[in-house]
Amino acid sequence: MKRLLRQSGSLVWLFIAAAVAGVTASVATVAAAHLFGQAWSCITGKQPQDVTTRVIRDWAIVVIAGMTATFLRKLLASQFSERLQARLRERVAARLAHASAEAMHTWHSGEISSRMSGDLFHVEQLVRDDIPQFIVQSLTAVLAATYMFMHNWLLTLTSIAVTPLLLFVSSLLAKPLGPLATATQADLAQASVTVQEGIAGAEVARAAGINGVLQHRYESSLDHWLDHSLAAARQVAKLYSVGTALSLVPFVVVFAVGGWMILRQDLEFGMLIAFIQLVNYLSFPFQEMPRLIGKIHAETAAAARVLELLDVPQERTGGITGNLDTEPLIEFRHVTFTYPGMPQPQLRDVSFRVARGHKVALVGASGSGKSTVVRLLTGEYQPQAGEVRVGGVTTSEWSLQALRTIMAVVDQDAFLFDDAITMNVASGRLDASGEEISAALEAAQCAFVSGLPQGNATGVGEAGGSLSGGQRQRIALARALIRDAPILLLDEATSALDNQMEQKVYAAITRGPYDRTIIAVAHRLSTVKDLDCIVVFGDGQVVEQGTHENLLKAGGLYARLWSMQHMQEVPHA
Amino acid sequence: MRSWTNLRRLLSYAGDARGQYISGIVGIGLVNLGVNALFAEALALFTKGLMQEDSHGLLLSVVLFVGIGLFATVAILLVGRALVSGASRTERHLRSAFFTVVSRIPLATLERYDPGDIQSRLGNDVAAIGQFYAQTMQLLSNLMIGGLGSIALALIIDWRSGLLITSAASVLFLITVPLLGPLKRHAKAAQSKKAEVLGQTGQMTRGSFIVRSFNLQDWVLQRFAGSSLAQRHEGLLLGWYDALRSFTDNMGNVVSLVLIAYGARRVAIEPAFLPRLAALIQLVDEVTMFFSQLSSLLTDLQVKLASAVRVLELLDEPPEPVRLPRPPLVGESRAGPGLSVNDLSFAYRTQEDAALQSISFSVAAGHRAAFVGPSGGGKSTLFKLILGLYRPRRGTITVDGHSIYDHELSVWRSQFAYVPQNAFVFSDTVYANIVGGMPDPGAEKVERAAHAANAHDFIMQLPNGYQTVLQELGQNLSGGQKQRIAIARALLQDAPVLLLDEATASLDAESEHEVQEALQNLMQGRTTLVIAHRLSTIQDADTIYYLEGGQLVEQGTHRDLMAHTDGPYRRLVETGLKATSPPPAS
C-alpha cells in the first residue's frame, strides 16, 4: 500500500480530494435523514407552514450537496485510478522492455500478462471503488450509529440485535454453496470435454457411429450437473429467505418498538422516520465490512504483484566495441555454461572458431546445446567458464547494444509483432525504405505476400493465425536480412519449410551481396552440407567438426546422423 | 419483434419444468408487490393509529408488520426455490439440445464453424442464457410485477401524488438516458484499448528475445505508450460519464423530498391525507427502483439476447438427413462387387468451384487403391464423400452394386471402417474406445482385435489395462498408441471396405514398425482405399490414383506411372527422394 502511494506521487492529491468528497457525502446522508424526520415531525406536529418550508429547504440543500459530493467522489477517484494505472503500466513496460534475458526466462509471459490484466484490474477496483467505499460506508455507519445512540439508544440496540444472528445463519447456509459451485463447474467442464471431442472427432464420430456414446456421456454429465444445481437451488432459496428477513427485521422492530415508545411519549414520530432511513447503514459493519476488508486485502496483494514487476532485473548498459577485422571473427574458448536454475551444464568446454565471411553449421540432436551458442553470442547470457569473443572482445565487455547491431538473428519460433508485414520487416532496421523492404522480402523468398489480401501491408495477426509457420519464418528472415549485419545467426530458421524452399532460401542467403559471416543451427543435414564447416554437438560438447565430406569419411556421430535422416525421409505427398 | 420471438424460444426450453419455472417467476414478482402493498397499508394504519392515539389500531399495525415479515420470509423460500430450480432444469434442456445439434448436423455445416467458436457458444453464450433464466427473468418479474404494480398502487392510493412521484422519478431517469449511449460506447472502447495494451505487453514478453537482439526496446515502448495513452484517455472519459450517471443513485432522496414538499401543503389543507402520505413514502423506493433498474434490465436483456441469437443460430442448423437425397440427373447405377465411384463432383459452397470434378474409378473387392497428390488436391474430400459426410453435387458411389442413395446413412457407413490421419480417441476407457459405437461384443473379441492391432501389450501396461480411462483427447497416449487403438476399432468393426488416411507425421522408429504391422493386418483381405504418404504403401497398391486440383490426373500401377517420364507421379517420387539421395560410399 505504501509503495502504491509512493508510485502515485503528485496524483495523491486527487485521491485526497476524492476522500474529502466521500466524507462530505457521508455527513450529508445522516443530515438528510435527520431533516427528513424533522420535516415529518413538522407535518404531523402541525407546525406553522413557514417552519416546515424552512426545514424542507434545508433538506433540499443537503440532498443536493450529497449528490454533488458523491459525483465528485466518483469522478475524482476514477481520474486518480486511471492516471495511476497508466503510470504503473508504463513504468512496468519500461522495465520489461529492458529486462535481462535471465529475468524474462524466469518470468512466464502468461504470468506477466495476468499481472498486467487481472492484478492491475484489482488495483483499479481498489483505488477507484473499494477504498473510497470503505471510507464512505464505515464513516456513514459511525455517524449514523452516533446519531441514533444519542437520540434513543434502546431503539437503536433492539433494531440491530437480531442482525448478527441472521448473518450467522446466512453464513452457515452459504457454506455448502462453495463446494456445490465447484462441483457444477466440474460437471460442466466434463460435459464440455465431450463436446470438444464431438467436434474434434466429428468425422470418426459420424463414420463409426460413436455419437450415441458421446451423447450418452454428455447427458450423464448433465444429470450430475442438474443434481448439484438443484441442491444449490435449495440452498439459495434458503439464503433468499434469510436475506429477506435480514432486510425486514430492523424495520419491523423499529415500527413495533418505536410505535410503543411514541405512545409512551418517549420518541417523536419524526425521529422514528429518521431511524427508518438510517437503520440500514448500521448493518454495514456486520454485513459488508468483512467482505470488503477481505476484498481490499486481496487487492492489496494484487497491487504488490504488479509492483513486483518494477523490480525485474535490467540488462547491463555500457561497454566497448570490438574490431570486426579481427581473425577469427568469432571464437568460443573452453566455454562452459549452465542455464540459471538448471542442474546440468548446457555447454561443456566448447571451443570453435569462425573466420570472417565463413558459413558454419551447428548440428546435433535437439537439446545438445546448439541454440545456446546463439544465446551466448548475442550476449544474452555469460558463460560461467571460458570466454566468447566477437571481434577480439569478450561478450561481457561488449556494449550489448553495439554487439547486437552487428548481428541479425532468426529464431526457431519466428516471433512476429502483431502488425503489418512491412512493419515487421522494417523492425529489422527502422530507417529502411519501402524498396529495401521489398528487396528483403524477395531475398527471403516471400513471393507469397503478393497473394495476401493486402499484399505486404497485410497484418500478421495475433499468434499469426493467417500465416503458416514457413511463411512466418521467411518474414522473420527478411527482417534479419534487411538489417544488413555482418553476422547472421540462424537458429533452426527454416525448420518449417519444405526441402525445396529451404534449398532456395539457403542459396539466397549464402549468395549474399558481400562476405557475410553466418552461423546456422540446422536440423536437416542436407540443407547445410555445402557450408564451409560443420560443428557437430553431442550432449553439450563439440564432438567433431569439419566439412561434410571429411565428417562422412570420419564415420563418427555426423555420419550416423546423416544415414539416420536418410532412412527416415519419405516422399512428401 | 425478432427479439421477442427469440425470448419466447429460449423460454420454450422449460419443457417439463414449465409449471415450476413460471410459478417461480410470477411468484417472485407477486411476493415483492404483496410485501410492498402490505407494508404501505401497515404504515398507513400505523400513522393513523398514532395520530388518533388509538392503541388498538397501532397494535393491529404492529401485528401486521410482524406478519408481513413472516409471510415474506416463507414465501420467498418457496418461490425462490421454484424459480432457481426451474431455471436450472430449463438450462439443462437447452444444454442437451445443444449437443444433440452439434452431433447431428452435417459435417459440412460443422466445418463452417470454427471449433473454438462452438466452444465459446457453449462456454459463454449458453452460460449467459443460464443467467438469463435465473437472474434476468427474476429482475424482469420484480420490475414488471413488483415495480409497475407499486406504481399502480401509488396511483390508486392517491392519483395526484402517484403521478407526482412517478413523473419525478421518470424525469430523473430520462435525464440519465442520454448518458447511457456514450457510457456503453466508452466502456467498449476502454475495453478494446485495454486489450490492445495487453496485446502489446504480451508481444513485449513473448518477443523479448527479438526485442533485445534487434535493439527494439525504445521502438516497442513507443508503440506501448501510444496504446497506453489511448486507454487512459478512454478510461478518463468513462470516469466522467460514470460519475454523472451516479446522480441516479440518490434518486430516491429527491423523489421523497418532492413528495414530502407536496404532502406538507396537502396535509395542511386536508389532515386526513396523512396516513396515505405515509403509505406513499413507503412506495417511493419501489417506484424509483423501477426506473433506475429499467436501464440495467434493458442492457442486460440486450447482452443476453445477443447470446441467444448466437446459440439459436446453431440450434437452427438442420440435421443430417436420414438418407442422402439423390442429386438430379443421377440414375440407378449398375456396378459390380467392390467399390465404385462414378462421375462424382462436389463443391464446398454452391457458388464455389468444384473441389472434386467428375471423379470415376472402381476398386474390385479385396483390392487396394492408393491416392496420392499435393495437399488440397481433393483426397480427403473424396473420403468424406464416400463416407456420406458430404453431399455430392453429382455422381454416385456404390458398394457391391448398391448406391449411397439407396441406404440410410447409418447403414451405408457401417460398410466402412475409417482410420483417420490423426487417430481420434475420446476420454473414456480403452475398452469403450475400441468398441466405439457398436453394441458390446464381449471382452474376448475386443482383446483379439487389440492383439491384431499390436495394441494389447501396451494396453496391459496401462494402470488399469483395458479399463484405463484415457485423458482428454488421449493426452496420456503416444501418437502411435492412439493409432493402434483406432486400428483395433476398425478391426473390430470388420467392415468390408477400409478407408485409411495414412499419418504424415513421423513416429518414433519402434512405434512406426508396430503401426505398419497392425495396418498390414487390417488391410488383409479387405477392399482398401488409402491416402498414402509412404512409398512402401504406394508401391504395394493395385492401382495408384494421382489427384490434383480436384481431378484424377493419372492412374496406374507404380511401374506404369514411373515409366511416364514427365508425369506428376514420377516427379513427386523424385523430388521426394532428391533431398535424401543415398550417402556417398564411405
Side-chain angles (χ1 to χ4, degrees):
Chain A
M1 196 62 128
K2 236 178 237 163
R3 282 196 66 187
L4 201 58
L5 279 178
R6 203 173 309 141
Q7 289 295 325
S8 56
S10 59
L11 293 178
V12 81
W13 291 109
L14 271 175
F15 185 72
I16 291 174
V20 170
V23 170
T24 315
S26 292
V27 174
T29 304
V30 177
H34 170 71
L35 289 165
F36 192 169
Q38 289 292 301
W40 190 247
S41 284
C42 292
I43 297 171
T44 53
K46 310 211 171 46
Q47 294 281 331
Q49 192 68 43
D50 60 326
V51 178
T52 313
T53 312
R54 207 169 54 234
V55 170
I56 290 177
R57 192 198 59 206
D58 290 349
W59 182 21
I61 292 170
V62 168
V63 165
I64 290 169
M67 286 169 88
T68 313
T70 303
F71 164 74
L72 285 175
R73 193 259 287 173
K74 288 215 158 191
L75 178 66
L76 294 168
S78 74
Q79 308 295 300
F80 170 69
S81 153
E82 283 302 328
R83 285 168 197 275
L84 177 65
Q85 277 184 81
R87 189 173 283 194
L88 278 178
R89 66 177 173 251
E90 276 156 28
R91 286 183 185 167
V92 169
R95 291 298 289 195
L96 289 178
H98 291 100
S100 67
E102 192 178 336
M104 295 312 275
H105 182 76
T106 45
W107 283 95
H108 193 269
S109 90
E111 173 68 24
I112 293 178
S113 287
S114 119
R115 291 186 187 212
M116 288 288 271
S117 56
D119 288 333
L120 203 54
F121 177 66
H122 281 133
V123 173
E124 174 178 346
Q125 289 197 315
L126 177 70
V127 299
R128 193 194 59 195
D129 300 328
D130 292 335
I131 292 184
Q133 205 168 18
F134 181 78
I135 295 174
V136 171
Q137 298 263 39
S138 48
L139 188 66
T140 311
V142 168
L143 289 176
T146 316
Y147 174 86
M148 289 169 75
F149 269 102
M150 271 168 51
H151 286 91
N152 195 318
W153 63 270
L154 187 61
L155 184 57
T156 312
L157 277 186
T158 45
S159 69
I160 56 167
V162 202
T163 306
L165 178 69
L166 285 172
L167 282 171
F168 177 68
V169 172
S170 91
S171 77
L172 280 187
L173 288 173
K175 227 169 231 165
L177 280 179
L180 280 174
T182 316
T184 51
Q185 281 310 313
D187 297 333
L188 284 187
Q190 194 62 48
S192 147
V193 166
T194 308
V195 176
Q196 195 186 340
E197 289 177 348
I199 297 169
E203 282 174 60
V204 181
R206 281 165 177 71
I210 296 174
N211 266 330
V213 181
L214 291 180
Q215 176 110 37
H216 181 73
R217 257 183 41 217
Y218 182 75
E219 290 294 330
S220 98
S221 303
L222 284 189
D223 283 339
H224 286 133
W225 175 79
L226 188 63
D227 285 346
H228 289 132
S229 295
L230 292 179
R234 284 192 287 276
Q235 216 59 27
V236 165
K238 287 180 202 155
L239 267 176
Y240 278 176
S241 166
V242 175
T244 310
L246 256 175
S247 65
L248 290 183
V249 164
F251 289 103
V252 172
V253 171
V254 168
F255 279 122
V257 179
W260 173 68
M261 285 177 168
I262 292 174
L263 277 182
R264 292 189 39 184
Q265 309 272 312
D266 283 347
L267 187 74
E268 257 186 276
F269 197 1
M271 194 50 65
L272 186 133
I273 294 292
F275 267 52
I276 292 291
Q277 301 296 310
L278 290 176
V279 75
N280 261 347
Y281 293 105
L282 284 192
S283 65
F284 166 77
F286 311 108
Q287 201 160 5
E288 284 294 306
M289 192 90 108
R291 194 190 60 84
L292 197 56
I293 290 179
K295 200 164 167 235
I296 287 176
H297 260 291
E299 287 163 351
T300 317
R305 281 195 294 274
V306 175
L307 292 172
E308 230 173 74
L309 292 177
L310 292 173
D311 299 332
V312 169
Q314 305 285 280
E315 249 189 348
R316 68 180 170 82
T317 51
I320 57 170
T321 309
N323 177 4
L324 294 183
D325 292 329
T326 315
E327 282 295 355
L329 181 58
I330 294 169
E331 187 176 15
F332 271 61
R333 282 190 200 163
H334 305 291
V335 169
T336 296
F337 172 71
T338 312
Y339 277 108
M342 299 297 275
Q344 293 294 323
Q346 190 69 20
L347 293 180
R348 280 181 295 151
D349 195 25
V350 166
S351 298
F352 66 92
R353 299 160 155 224
V354 179
R356 192 155 60 89
H358 270 219
K359 279 96 177 121
V360 172
L362 310 182
V363 303
S366 53
S368 60
K370 296 160 300 180
S371 297
T372 309
V373 168
V374 173
R375 302 273 160 159
L376 291 178
L377 271 173
T378 53
E380 296 260 288
Y381 293 98
Q382 289 301 325
Q384 282 84 11
E387 49 191 31
V388 178
R389 285 182 178 272
V390 179
V393 171
T394 66
T395 52
S396 58
E397 293 168 292
W398 266 93
S399 145
L400 288 178
Q401 193 177 357
L403 179 65
R404 289 162 189 168
T405 309
I406 61 160
M407 294 180 179
V409 187
V410 186
D411 70 321
Q412 196 172 0
D413 305 331
F415 173 83
L416 298 178
F417 292 98
D418 182 13
D419 208 328
I421 290 174
T422 42
M423 204 55 169
N424 269 291
V425 177
S427 71
R429 188 155 54 82
L430 294 172
D431 59 359
S433 70
E435 289 92 67
E436 286 170 317
I437 291 172
S438 307
L441 282 169
E442 199 179 322
Q445 309 297 314
C446 292
F448 67 88
V449 296
S450 56
L452 295 176
Q454 289 149 36
N456 60 13
T458 308
V460 300
E462 180 62 22
S466 48
L467 296 177
S468 73
Q471 292 174 329
R472 296 172 67 75
Q473 285 190 333
R474 279 176 276 165
I475 293 173
L477 185 65
R479 170 175 63 195
L481 291 179
I482 205 169
R483 202 161 174 76
D484 213 6
I487 300 174
L488 181 60
L489 304 175
L490 305 174
D491 187 0
E492 302 211 12
T494 49
S495 57
L497 303 183
D498 61 37
N499 291 339
Q500 283 169 312
M501 187 51 82
E502 195 175 35
Q503 301 282 6
K504 273 193 198 168
V505 165
Y506 265 84
I509 302 169
T510 47
R511 232 191 1 247
Y514 68 99
D515 251 6
R516 192 187 275 143
T517 309
I518 298 179
I519 294 186
V521 175
H523 180 67
R524 226 173 289 169
L525 301 181
S526 50
T527 327
V528 293
K529 70 182 173 59
D530 298 328
L531 298 193
D532 298 322
C533 178
I534 298 169
V535 182
V536 186
F537 279 78
D539 199 20
Q541 285 176 302
V542 173
V543 180
E544 49 185 352
Q545 46 186 312
T547 61
H548 174 72
E549 279 72 24
N550 290 340
L551 288 172
L552 278 184
K553 266 189 210 126
L557 177 59
Y558 181 80
R560 271 214 308 287
L561 287 171
W562 176 267
S563 69
M564 245 167 67
Q565 282 200 357
H566 162 69
M567 301 287 278
Q568 271 189 1
E569 294 214 4
V570 291
H572 198 77
Chain B
M1 217 50 237
R2 181 66 177 281
S3 25
W4 179 240
T5 324
N6 284 340
L7 251 171
R8 283 188 43 176
R9 281 197 53 199
L10 283 186
L11 293 175
S12 71
Y13 282 95
D16 61 357
R18 194 158 168 224
Q20 187 184 37
Y21 187 41
I22 291 181
S23 64
I25 295 171
V26 176
I28 207 121
L30 284 179
V31 169
N32 200 323
L33 176 63
V35 167
N36 276 302
L38 288 172
F39 244 123
E41 178 56 28
L43 201 58
L45 270 177
F46 183 81
T47 311
K48 201 161 159 190
L50 279 181
M51 289 301 96
Q52 298 170 356
E53 300 196 8
D54 165 15
S55 59
H56 188 71
L58 203 62
L59 189 68
L60 187 69
S61 73
V62 168
V63 170
L64 192 54
F65 274 126
V66 176
I68 298 165
L70 290 175
F71 161 75
T73 310
V74 175
I76 287 287
L77 183 66
L78 297 176
V79 295
R81 188 161 155 185
L83 176 78
V84 185
S85 303
S88 293
R89 290 168 65 193
T90 309
E91 186 180 343
R92 188 212 194 284
H93 294 149
L94 180 75
R95 285 183 181 274
S96 287
F98 190 89
F99 186 76
T100 307
V101 167
V102 168
S103 65
R104 301 226 175 117
I105 53 178
L107 187 68
T109 313
L110 188 66
E111 285 171 344
R112 274 212 321 269
Y113 293 91
D114 181 36
D117 179 36
I118 297 184
Q119 284 287 349
S120 128
R121 286 179 205 227
L122 178 67
N124 302 324
D125 296 319
V126 173
I129 295 173
Q131 287 179 351
F132 165 81
Y133 287 143
Q135 286 146 30
T136 312
M137 284 308 288
Q138 186 179 345
L139 183 60
L140 186 76
S141 159
N142 269 333
L143 292 194
M144 291 309 145
I145 301 177
L148 284 179
S150 296
I151 291 176
L153 199 62
L155 289 167
I156 292 168
I157 291 173
D158 181 71
W159 69 268
R160 272 177 289 192
S161 315
L163 211 57
L164 184 72
I165 57 177
T166 308
S167 44
S170 55
V171 164
L172 286 170
F173 165 73
L174 288 175
I175 290 173
T176 61
V177 165
L179 294 175
L180 295 179
L183 202 59
K184 206 161 123 189
R185 213 168 49 240
H186 289 294
K188 210 168 156 187
Q191 209 56 41
S192 85
K193 293 293 173 208
K194 192 169 170 179
E196 200 179 302
V197 165
L198 261 186
Q200 301 269 7
T201 315
Q203 303 247 305
M204 239 152 88
T205 51
R206 273 179 284 121
S208 81
F209 175 62
I210 293 299
V211 169
R212 284 192 301 276
S213 332
F214 284 81
N215 290 326
L216 289 172
Q217 290 90 345
D218 292 335
W219 185 69
V220 290
L221 280 179
Q222 201 184 323
R223 287 155 63 88
F224 181 88
S227 305
S228 174
L229 194 69
Q231 188 195 343
R232 194 184 81 161
H233 177 72
E234 285 302 333
L236 289 176
L237 272 175
L238 185 64
W240 268 98
Y241 283 106
D242 199 42
L244 281 171
R245 195 201 47 82
S246 77
F247 274 111
T248 34
D249 296 351
N250 290 304
M251 203 157 78
N253 283 333
V254 178
V255 178
S256 300
L257 182 71
V258 171
L259 177 64
I260 293 287
Y262 166 77
R265 283 158 195 269
R266 180 87 178 269
V267 170
I269 311 160
E270 183 194 345
F273 180 64
L274 195 59
R276 276 186 284 163
L277 184 61
L280 287 164
I281 286 176
Q282 165 59 29
L283 292 176
V284 163
D285 276 348
E286 203 63 22
V287 172
T288 50
M289 188 208 68
F290 173 78
F291 287 104
S292 65
Q293 300 215 347
L294 197 57
S295 64
S296 58
L297 174 72
L298 292 177
T299 321
D300 191 31
L301 268 178
Q302 248 171 13
V303 173
K304 302 291 149 67
L305 278 170
S307 286
V309 168
R310 285 158 50 78
V311 171
L312 291 173
E313 181 193 350
L314 196 64
L315 292 180
D316 284 340
E317 293 288 359
E320 204 169 49
V322 176
R323 185 194 298 257
L324 282 186
R326 188 182 295 270
L329 307 175
V330 170
E332 293 294 323
S333 60
R334 313 238 174 275
L339 179 133
S340 153
V341 165
N342 188 22
D343 191 29
L344 189 65
S345 291
F346 171 75
Y348 279 93
R349 299 269 177 86
T350 40
Q351 73 276 17
E352 272 174 19
D353 292 342
L356 280 184
Q357 287 172 36
S358 357
I359 305 282
S360 301
F361 64 88
S362 49
V363 184
H367 278 225
R368 187 190 301 178
F371 293 84
V372 297
S375 60
K379 300 176 306 254
S380 312
T381 311
L382 176 65
F383 270 33
K384 288 176 185 169
L385 280 164
I386 293 174
L387 285 166
L389 292 170
Y390 290 157
R391 192 191 283 194
R393 187 188 259 191
R394 212 176 57 227
T396 181
I397 305 156
T398 56
V399 170
D400 296 339
H402 296 288
S403 113
I404 190 170
Y405 308 113
D406 301 336
H407 286 91
E408 288 191 359
L409 277 174
S410 57
V411 177
W412 173 258
R413 285 172 187 161
S414 68
Q415 305 179 102
F416 299 95
Y418 173 48
V419 180
Q421 199 175 76
N422 297 313
F424 167 71
V425 298
F426 49 95
S427 51
D428 204 330
T429 59
V430 173
Y431 189 90
N433 265 287
I434 295 177
V435 174
M438 284 174 290
D440 188 350
E444 200 187 321
K445 281 190 173 174
V446 171
E447 284 188 30
R448 208 181 310 143
H451 264 295
N454 268 341
H456 180 74
D457 291 344
F458 86 78
I459 293 172
M460 292 314 286
Q461 277 167 17
L462 295 173
N464 293 314
Y466 282 86
Q467 295 309 316
T468 308
V469 176
L470 299 181
Q471 282 170 16
E472 195 176 330
L473 301 172
Q475 283 155 2
N476 47 351
L477 294 184
S478 76
Q481 292 173 329
K482 279 191 272 189
Q483 268 179 341
R484 281 177 274 163
I485 287 187
I487 292 168
R489 187 189 297 148
L491 277 165
L492 193 62
Q493 271 177 295
D494 200 23
V497 184
L498 171 65
L499 299 177
L500 172 63
D501 193 350
E502 213 173 27
T504 43
S506 51
L507 306 162
D508 57 280
E510 184 240 8
S511 235
E512 178 94 34
H513 174 73
E514 303 268 313
V515 170
Q516 283 306 323
E517 209 176 73
L519 282 176
Q520 289 305 329
N521 289 342
L522 179 58
M523 290 190 273
Q524 196 65 46
R526 249 177 266 269
T527 313
T528 302
L529 282 73
V530 54
I531 296 178
H533 303 291
R534 278 180 187 72
L535 195 56
S536 58
T537 320
I538 301 170
Q539 279 169 330
D540 288 352
D542 295 300
T543 317
I544 299 164
Y545 296 95
Y546 189 95
L547 266 173
E548 186 169 4
Q551 288 175 309
L552 266 183
V553 180
E554 264 192 324
Q555 67 186 72
T557 63
H558 179 68
R559 188 190 294 264
D560 297 341
L561 294 178
M562 286 307 280
H564 194 190
T565 330
D566 227 12
Y569 176 76
R570 181 169 170 158
R571 228 175 18 244
L572 172 80
V573 173
E574 281 175 350
T575 46
L577 289 177
K578 195 194 256 171
T580 56
S581 53
S586 52

